[in-house]
Amino acid sequence: MRHDLTSSRATERLSADAAGIARAAELLRQGKLVALPTETVYGLAADATSGAAVAGIYAAKERPSFNPLISHLPDLVAARRQGLFDANALALAKAFWPGPLTLVVPAASSCEVSELARAGLPSVALRVPSLPLAHAVLEAAGRPIAAPSANRSGRISATSAAHVLADLDGRIDAVLDGGPTEVGLESTIVACLDGAPRLLRPGGIPRSTIEGVIGRSLVIAGEAGMAPISPGLLASHYAPAAQVRLNADAPQPGEGWLGFGPQPHDVPHSLNLSPAGDLVEAASNLFGHLRRLDVLGLPSIAVATIPEHGLGEAINDRLRRAAAPR
Ligand code: TXA
Ligand code: MG
């Protein structure tokens, strides 16, 4: 299977029904690229066992190829053929799968995930998504499916089929339209490699909920002098074209405004993540609101302060990356 980067291809629009599921799985088995909804964000899916198919993901996203990908499976049994689960990994999988958690574990000797999808690492990132549509495609495809977020590298993650097409129309073989995603933030990534579970990326499951299951604090990767072990966590990521100004009290003249909670600001280019101050609602609106403000072409978007607890940790992580110097 060869993906020619320079030639464009027609992107099939698939609907969320039996025919759409069957076609998505058929394309994946042929080594093609299919954008699929999950409960977190849309993923750009390909056969994880095929180096050529995975190379197509990196090419379509223009993603640096040192960045390893998450492989998606229909259930824990299938995941355990790919990776070695210690007691912590097993407890976390049983508590949160299917759902917005990714586990980075040592690759099993029976691991079929290609070297390219693992970026040559001895570990593998595994996730069992909960969205029934995603589960159905994974069952029908019958192999691990690699899927990073379905956006061009460094851009805002896609939470609807329209977002996917805005970035990738003509560069991928199909998009399966399952409507807007529920969580709106990528999965939480936890590495269980050496007995001390580490938080590699905050995400759809709050850290405190995970700590409740393992009965200890998660070490944060990169803290306390540890080398970061998730090479994909580039500082500038999720970047809109506009500059992003965080922890703002109010917009300056000409700035867009992304609010949170009740607010007095009556500004022209203003969206609110959650007028009620609900972090779950804010997470689900984050990427869509950023895209809607960004297409207005304003030089800067000012963002209200978001509390750091619960899903706020992951929301602030994405906002800091959006605001990082490029
Ligand atoms: O919610 C999600 O997780 C979405 C949906 C589509 O499932 N997927 C997603 O994948 O966000 P992606 O490729 O954008 O994020 C993968 C992250 C990267 O930061 C990468 O560095 C890390 O997972 N990762 C993957 N394999 C790893 C490994 N073996 N060791 C450490 N980090 C790894
Ligand atoms: Mg991404």
Side-chain angles (χ1 to χ4, degrees), residues 40 63 70 72 123 125 127 148 186-187 189 201 229-230 232-233:
T40 58
R63 181 173 197 162
I70 297 170
H72 298 69
S123 56
R127 176 159 119 73
E186 295 86 347
S187 59
I189 307 182
R201 178 177 74 184
I229 61 170
S230 206
L233 301 180

Side-chain angles (χ1 to χ4, degrees), residues 35-49:
L36 295 177
T38 76
E39 71 278 18
T40 58
V41 298
Y42 275 69
L44 179 53
D47 180 350
T49 70

Side-chain angles (χ1 to χ4, degrees), residues 95-145:
F96 299 115
W97 280 355
L101 173 73
T102 294
L103 292 169
V104 172
V105 297
S109 57
S110 53
C111 184
E112 301 157 286
V113 176
S114 61
E115 286 282 322
L116 188 57
R118 288 161 45 200
L121 295 170
S123 56
V124 63
L126 303 173
R127 176 159 119 73
V128 175
S130 64
L131 186 77
L133 190 58
H135 181 264
V137 174
L138 294 172
E139 279 282 358
R143 64 198 67 187
I145 297 296

Side-chain angles (χ1 to χ4, degrees), residues 41-42 61 63 67 147-158 186 201 232 237-238 287 318:
V41 298
Y42 275 69
K61 281 184 64 101
R63 181 173 197 162
N67 197 345
S149 49
N151 50 276
R152 292 239 202 143
S153 192
R155 303 250 189 107
I156 299 165
S157 299
E186 295 86 347
R201 178 177 74 184
H237 204 100
Y238 307 101
F287 292 135
R318 304 305 188 273

